Amino acid sequence: MKSTLTLLGTAMFLLSGCATPAPVPSTTAPPATTTTTTTSAVARDISAVDPCALLSVEDVRPILANTPPAPRREGAACAWGDGEFRGVWLSLTKAEPVEGKRAIDIGGRQGVVVDELEYTCDVRVDLDGVAIDLRAVASDKTEWCPEAATALAAAVRKLGW
């Protein structure tokens, strides 16, 4: 009976948490942490952004050539060129990212070619919940995506995002 009480007392002592087990050395690395970023992590205010101020004459000249650039507001967008044979359109909107036809580098950021037709290229980059789109149109060449990506990169640099 005495041994049963001793055994019962020892069991209660161990179960009460008063005993400190010896530390077990860890042989595994700590779990890796993953960071998930979303494009809407920072809410950008685009209400005060003037899209016409984001591209200079030099930025649009490769697409417009000798067509007078004369930027003009078209709603929330800005347009340069004659709008028929040579033109550049830039817009900023709050929008979800889209999948394009193919990925394209926009000044070190990943963008997409949204639409590519003969004489036309639409490129887009999504930054912090803002879609920045640029369309280049010119009737003397069929591949305008490199020039469109370069102009869009200039606009993003001017935004400072």
Side-chain angles (χ1 to χ4, degrees), residues 10-101:
T10 304
M12 287 177 58
F13 177 75
L14 290 175
L15 290 175
S16 70
C18 294
T20 309
V24 178
S26 175
T27 58
T28 60
T33 58
T34 58
T35 304
T36 304
T37 57
T38 62
T39 55
S40 60
V42 176
R44 300 287 185 175
D45 181 18
I46 59 173
S47 63
V49 176
D50 177 6
C52 292
L54 297 177
L55 292 174
S56 68
V57 172
E58 292 78 30
D59 296 328
V60 296
R61 187 176 315 281
I63 300 162
L64 299 182
N66 295 324
T67 302
R72 63 195 177 283
R73 287 297 292 262
E74 292 185 356
C78 189
W80 292 261
D82 63 16
E84 186 176 352
F85 297 105
R86 289 188 176 277
V88 174
W89 290 265
L90 179 72
S91 67
L92 287 81
T93 57
K94 296 277 186 174
E96 293 295 319
V98 297
E99 289 190 29
K101 292 185 173 188

Side-chain angles (χ1 to χ4, degrees), residues 25 44 63 95 112 121 124 126 157:
R44 300 287 185 175
I63 300 162
V112 293
C121 182
R124 178 177 180 171
D126 295 294
R157 275 193 308 278

Side-chain angles (χ1 to χ4, degrees), residues 62-155:
I63 300 162
L64 299 182
N66 295 324
T67 302
R72 63 195 177 283
R73 287 297 292 262
E74 292 185 356
C78 189
W80 292 261
D82 63 16
E84 186 176 352
F85 297 105
R86 289 188 176 277
V88 174
W89 290 265
L90 179 72
S91 67
L92 287 81
T93 57
K94 296 277 186 174
E96 293 295 319
V98 297
E99 289 190 29
K101 292 185 173 188
R102 62 183 166 96
I104 191 166
D105 178 66
I106 306 292
R109 300 172 189 263
Q110 182 169 338
V112 293
V113 174
V114 176
D115 200 13
E116 186 175 18
L117 303 170
E118 188 174 28
Y119 313 119
T120 305
C121 182
D122 294 314
V123 293
R124 178 177 180 171
V125 65
D126 295 294
L127 302 173
D128 302 327
V130 176
I132 308 169
D133 292 281
L134 186 134
R135 170 180 276 191
V137 176
S139 60
D140 64 339
K141 172 174 132 167
T142 59
E143 171 55 44
W144 286 104
C145 290
E147 289 84 353
T150 299
L152 184 53

